[in-house]
């Protein structure tokens, strides 16, 4: 069995480990509970769509852009949250995506406060989590996506990294273009088949 | 495969095409995604109930009142939205019905701004889309129906056209009268059978 | 003193009066109480901006586009509301703008039902009136503007009339263009003066 | 087929019919659509629990307390609503229970305005109907129950009638006492069996 | 100084006092705090408009319709609330108007439960009190007016009493008619003066 | 059959019974209806997790920490609620957990007022019950948990008792530690298996 | 100037300081900003009304019940919040009252998680803070008062302490009794003077 | 007078202008109306606090980090919004802060769609703008701050730029540290003066 103390030790030891930047995860994904994973998997999907790989072993990290995933509960394991967020910069993380559900979705906020100045994208896992995620006071920045939009959080994290990487910007653009042409296809199909014909063709 | 650019070209070319007014669609129906179609099909139903026909081929348009349907995404294909709305007047469209879902249902608003002075009836596809559809600032008009009420949007579009067409007004009245007598029938049935009898008769 | 019966008589007598179309009001503005007038005056402003004139005497009506204004309470004078709305078509009204406040803003809805197929633009006079104005069932159309946006309701009413009047469409466009250039002016001023300079220049 | 005009005639003819008070319905139940009946049937249930009978034929009315049921749509059949409510007093109705769904639940309000001074108990058929039902302006009274609580509306109607009928008051009290002892039974069962035992006994 | 026990004694002693019905208050007005009085004074205004008089001394009561006013706090003086409500019938009260503010506006609900089968009209003193006042479970009836509408609560209480008193019904009708003609006056003034003229005339 | 009066007698007789403190229930759990039990069972679960036992027979009570469960309806059996709450202190209860559903969740509030100064933890059984449970005026204290969180209410009740009992505090800590390590386990599993692997392993 | 590190040191040093229980603060009051103090001062008022004294110097603490006040920001000084909450038990604090404003009112939640098993009463400083304060997940208990009700939070904290201190319970009862008689006084005054007389007497 | 076309030309000409990266604005601030400037000025404040300078003349740009400010209305000048956003990358802008008020706050969303893959921080200028700003569909990313929190938007924009600039990260940290010590100062002052003393000292 793993204890919270074990993980705290792991993060603190990684922070002192002087790994080259390309071997550390660029994006950290944390969520308050594994019951949030079905919603948070969108961040995994977006980053994977853009060519990022998931780090599952710090000693055997992928070469290009990468990310890692952890469960960290603000209310049940506040010390784990502290350790994760305070060591993030030293562990080489550049952007954090933090998701939580419920009305008191404190994980994104607290992570943003503790990991500052690393930017944190908050993901409200439920509609009722939006207010709590977005409502930070002056001087304590977080940016948030809409409830459940972890796919967009993944894109946003990549956008932040792309401000100084034209290749990543090009990846983002290519992904977008694919989407756009899908809209054009379906639009013409609706027009040419007419409403009843198009609906019938979908069934 | 169709690209967004193909459709932009199509709209721009139609705009320069000098078709006679009776061969162009009177009503344009646009929606943000084909997943909105089940809700938006109500506009098709209402216009069809009033004798309008759907245009599926610009070169082979019906003779009387007609409408067309397109998918146009404000957020994924903003240039397609621009092209559709800015060419609408020149393509002979008189009224637009625009539906979108989500909390940022920008399609109806932006279409209203771009197609102005053509009137646009906004259809919030979900309850949470109402605020975003209706909330335009002074000087940027849109009128909206309630969430999901695309059937009423179809009736409203016809009402606008009927302000100078007594025959279309008569069609609208006839459709209404049929409805009214349905209410009278069911009302008397409830009264005469009594509550338990009426409920039993429905099962 | 005027009684409700006096006004009912007036509307019914006007309905039988066979006035030429250009002498009747094109737009009717009704509101639930004169306490709504400060909000509803926006419709007057928009229509006046577009060259419409207010009819204050049926026997001495203006020659061009015109509108009329009445107080009609759904809850305190339901018979007056009926008489106004049911005679509207026969009195030559083409579009109605109906505003009401409170949570039970029934005037726009009931007017839309009674005056049908004349299109009615509902104006929720207060934020809390929006739901009640917009929420009509299938088959009972109304279109609505946002709370307090009676100016836009005036523009929308004109848009409906302009579907077959290019001159009115041109008036609408001209009014819009003036607005747009105001935005450009202020935008350049902000940019060139910078934020502190611009704010100082406004005080 | 029945037309709206047929029912309007029926109400107006009943209003001139001088039936003895004990042969007319004491309570009128109206609803905007027969799709509201499953919710509104609670009023039937409560009145029946109190010994009221449903009138299904004006010429063959029950001897004691009675009620009648009709479908009346504010938005689709406003003239039917007028006729029903304006003749209610002359037809011997003492209290009206009016239910409607949607956000523009105008039927209870308009009925209260038209049938005044007969008291009307408004029943919001859906949660979103509450605001529209309850929000009447000063001078236009209605009282309302909570969404879907038509059973309580039936009790309330009886309470109004019982202000001058001790026997009916006793009926109301007897119905209440039965309920109270049901609470006592279940309370002792929970206590004595304990939480797990009680839950098991329910399955 | 008066204690809660003094008032409990007073209500209990009045309950055993066999006063003739015309000497007891027909309507009881209770509110949770004297800070609610500015809102609740509307009930006083309506009843006074209808000819009711306020009872301020049980031994010197007015002859006709009358009402009484008390402060009774559900949360701070629950025993006073019990005593008031449970003795109401025996003290000759026929209808109770109960107002409370805050989100836990328990006074109207609890009074309705304790004074049953006397009908209680709940007055939510603030907007946020509406849900709590209206939300009673099946079998525990209350009817409510909108937030702050104590004037309408006064009218409703009179409507309940008027179900068997044609004279009181006539009083209610007369009050209403005055209101209606006021609407007609202002409506004609707006029409004839036009919007700017009417607004100027009000200032 | 049990009557409300029987239970009132039971509570009053227990109140005069001079049982030693260790034989009386430390925590009282009350709810407005047995339909609330599935939600309220969380309090049973938490207290049981901490070693409390349920009292089902006052004459045969467990030796250590204990609690009791009753159904008490504020609106249908207000006298039962009074008797329960007013005798609580004399019956040896130290903390009450009170749950109710609906919008008028008066049971927790009224119990808090009547049992004062015993602390009451209010449990809103539904989301819509939160406002009504929490909204007490100054001077009438209650503390509440979130909708449906009766498990936490059980923990909180134990926390109040633990302010002077280090052993109970240790029980609370031990229960917490178990939870924490569960988070650590799942966190490491997610990290090491990666998102797709972890999701697959759950199915 | 004081740094966050200075305060962290202070709390940690106090935690190792073995002061006798009667010299340590029984209640800790923390708030997210000194702009919350006007709202949070109610806790000070309630505790002072009950005879508690404020500790302003750990080396010169009052003899009886006492409390302390600190500003601790979850988002701007998360390490200070950790130090305060994690040392609370060792510093002799028995109950914490934690208030915060905004939509992300994390201070009460995080304090409850960190100081557990010490009970924390959360005070939402603004209406919009309620959801965030109350919405804790299963296993992470907090109890909350309504927005701005810090006075009640003070009473509740005392209620928790009074579960094993009959004298403090008596203090709570005495404070309550004073309040009750105030209600009785004002109630009789309203009744005897009548509504207009009473209102006049207040001005 | 400036026209919209003039500004469109300006942006398009700047886009073709091959300025060195250090002479172009790093951050673009746009808002829907100059009435939003009082709220949006927070972004100016934050960026200035971090050493950024405002560009007011493209030909005379500051050397270090810089930003620019423009008014761009989505609904009144959609073509200006297009031109601004589509040229942003070519004009050297790396991050955009876009603020808008009202319920249809389309500017941030549309700018995010048009300027993609440049990251856009949306600022809802009013509380009611939050939903519309945050609610983007899958594949159309935006991140948002809370209503009115343009200061935080400025910090976030800098955080994005700092992911590859340790010096800017240090600036962000230094600004934060100043804030933290302010909290420590006020916290100790509250503790040492006590609540009444501290409040007195503030007045």
């Amino acid at each position: 069995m793993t204890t919270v103390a074990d993980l705290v030790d792991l993060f603190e030891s990684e922070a002192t480990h002087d790994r080259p930047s390309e071997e550390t995860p660029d994006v950290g994904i944390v969520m308050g509970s594994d019951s949030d994973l079905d919603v948070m998997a969108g961040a995994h999907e977006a980053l994977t769509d853009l060519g990022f790989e998931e780090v599952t072993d710090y000693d055997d990290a992928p070469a290009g852009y990468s990310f890692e995933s952890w469960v960290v509960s603000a209310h049940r394991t506040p010390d784990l949250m502290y350790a994760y967020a305070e060591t993030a910069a030293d562990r080489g993380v550049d952007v954090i995506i933090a998701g939580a559900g419920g009305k008191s979705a404190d994980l994104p906020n607290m992570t943003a406060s503790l990991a500052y100045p690393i930017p944190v994208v908050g993901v409200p896992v439920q509609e009722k989590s939006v207010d709590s995620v977005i409502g930070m006071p002056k001087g304590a920045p977080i940016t948030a996506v809409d409830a459940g939009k972890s796919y967009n959080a993944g894109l946003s994290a990549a956008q932040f990294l792309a401000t100084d990487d034209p290749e990543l910007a090009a990846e983002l653009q290519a992904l977008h273009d694919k989407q756009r042409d899908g809209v054009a296809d379906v639009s013409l199909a609706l027009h040419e088949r007419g409403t009843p014909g198009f609906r019938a063709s979908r069934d």
Side-chain angles (χ1 to χ4, degrees), chain A:
Chain A
M1 216 190 72
T2 319
T3 65
V4 168
D6 295 339
L7 297 183
V8 170
D9 288 349
L10 173 63
F11 295 135
E12 290 179 348
S13 122
E14 270 301 300
T16 61
H17 215 313
D18 202 24
R19 301 190 190 271
S21 162
E22 60 276 16
E23 291 179 15
T24 58
D26 304 281
V27 179
I29 301 175
V30 290
M31 64 202 76
S33 159
D34 70 310
S35 66
D36 299 336
L37 186 58
D38 288 342
V39 168
M40 293 302 294
H44 178 279
E45 182 192 351
L47 291 172
T48 303
D49 283 355
L50 292 165
F52 285 59
E53 284 183 75
E54 187 165 10
V55 179
T56 56
D57 179 351
Y58 286 144
D59 293 323
D60 182 20
Y65 277 112
S66 66
F67 61 97
E68 61 171 357
S69 307
W70 291 98
V71 170
V72 168
S73 167
H75 298 127
R76 285 170 296 182
T77 60
D79 42 356
L80 182 59
M81 175 177 70
Y82 260 56
Y84 183 84
E86 289 195 323
T87 61
D90 289 333
R91 289 186 292 107
V93 172
D94 287 324
V95 184
I96 295 176
I97 296 172
K103 293 182 198 163
S104 302
D106 297 357
L107 178 64
N109 304 156
M110 291 306 306
T111 300
S113 292
L114 292 160
Y116 179 94
I118 296 180
V120 173
V121 183
V123 181
V125 166
Q126 298 172 289
E127 186 59 44
K128 64 181 170 184
S129 318
V130 173
D131 276 7
S132 161
V133 169
I134 208 175
M136 296 280 276
K138 185 176 172 182
I142 196 174
T143 61
V145 296
D146 197 11
K149 290 294 189 305
S150 64
Y151 187 89
N152 286 1
L155 295 185
S156 293
Q159 286 179 289
F160 303 168
L161 296 172
T163 54
D164 72 308
D165 180 349
E167 260 178 70
L168 183 53
E171 284 286 350
L172 281 157
Q173 193 61 56
L175 182 60
H176 207 233
D177 288 346
K178 228 185 309 177
Q179 245 186 351
R180 284 166 48 79
D181 292 337
V183 173
D185 272 338
V186 91
S187 188
L188 190 64
L190 169 61
H191 182 76
E192 291 186 341
R193 290 179 200 161
T195 300
F198 183 82
R199 295 180 85 187
S201 74
R202 284 195 312 192
D203 296 339

